[in-house]
Amino acid sequence: RSVGADRIVNAVGAYVKWGVGARQAAPLLVIDFGTATTFDVVTTQGDFIGGAIAPGLKTINEALAEKCAQLPLVPLELPKKVIGRTTVDAIRSGVFWGYVSLVEGMIVRFKKFLKSKVVHSTTHSFCTSPKMNSFKTSSKKFHTLHNN
């Protein structure tokens, strides 16, 4: 069995920052917004118990343009509306809000599996960008671990 070093470093860093002592009343869900989006759980005792890996936002956007001959690569920006009236606006909305739904859905599934609330910890510079403001608002409070 193997786990990437990046996932272990993120889990240890999150536990050291938020999990040591009585401050952590719930498991940590460490979410890394990179090329891949990783979701990893650290128990209140500091044990890494595993997680999930999904494509990152940029990866989803690039794959759509690469695999769909008629669809262009669209710059990642917060969509003005959920319903796009042009192809570019529709891609922007689908990629962004689809990704937000992926992350929010995974958080819900982790909470159900753990039968617990979780403390969210995010990593990667993308989580502090304006692109994520709407996501952070809709997903409650996130703690940023570090910016790459």
Side-chain angles (χ1 to χ4, degrees):
R1 298 187 306 179
S2 68
V3 176
D6 58 332
R7 293 173 63 201
I8 297 297
V9 167
N10 288 340
V12 169
Y15 185 73
V16 167
K17 192 163 185 178
W18 292 290
V20 177
R23 295 179 302 170
Q24 184 190 354
L28 290 169
L29 177 57
V30 184
I31 307 171
D32 185 355
F33 295 103
T35 304
T37 300
T38 59
F39 303 83
D40 291 306
V41 177
V42 180
T43 67
T44 56
Q45 295 79 31
D47 297 323
F48 175 87
I49 63 171
I53 302 173
L57 180 60
K58 185 176 178 186
T59 302
I60 291 169
N61 193 45
E62 290 173 352
L64 189 63
E66 181 182 319
K67 301 293 184 186
C68 302
Q70 299 297 311
L71 298 180
L73 180 62
V74 174
L76 291 174
E77 297 174 8
L78 184 64
K80 293 180 177 121
K81 298 178 182 176
V82 71
I83 297 174
R85 299 194 84 173
T86 67
T87 298
V88 169
D89 288 343
I91 292 170
R92 188 169 284 137
S93 178
V95 167
F96 185 83
W97 292 117
Y99 182 75
V100 168
S101 295
L102 177 150
V103 174
E104 289 178 335
M106 289 299 287
I107 291 169
V108 167
R109 290 178 186 279
F110 274 95
K111 286 179 181 179
K112 282 184 181 177
F113 180 81
L114 295 167
K115 297 180 175 101
S116 172
K117 293 181 179 180
V118 294
V119 176
H120 308 114
S121 172
T122 62
T123 68
H124 203 274
S125 58
F126 183 69
C127 28
T128 59
S129 75
K131 297 171 191 166
M132 291 303 289
N133 285 342
S134 180
F135 172 72
K136 288 196 287 189
T137 299
S138 64
S139 292
K140 308 248 175 15
K141 185 176 181 182
F142 278 79
H143 304 285
T144 302
L145 179 60
H146 62 79
N147 296 317
N148 297 352

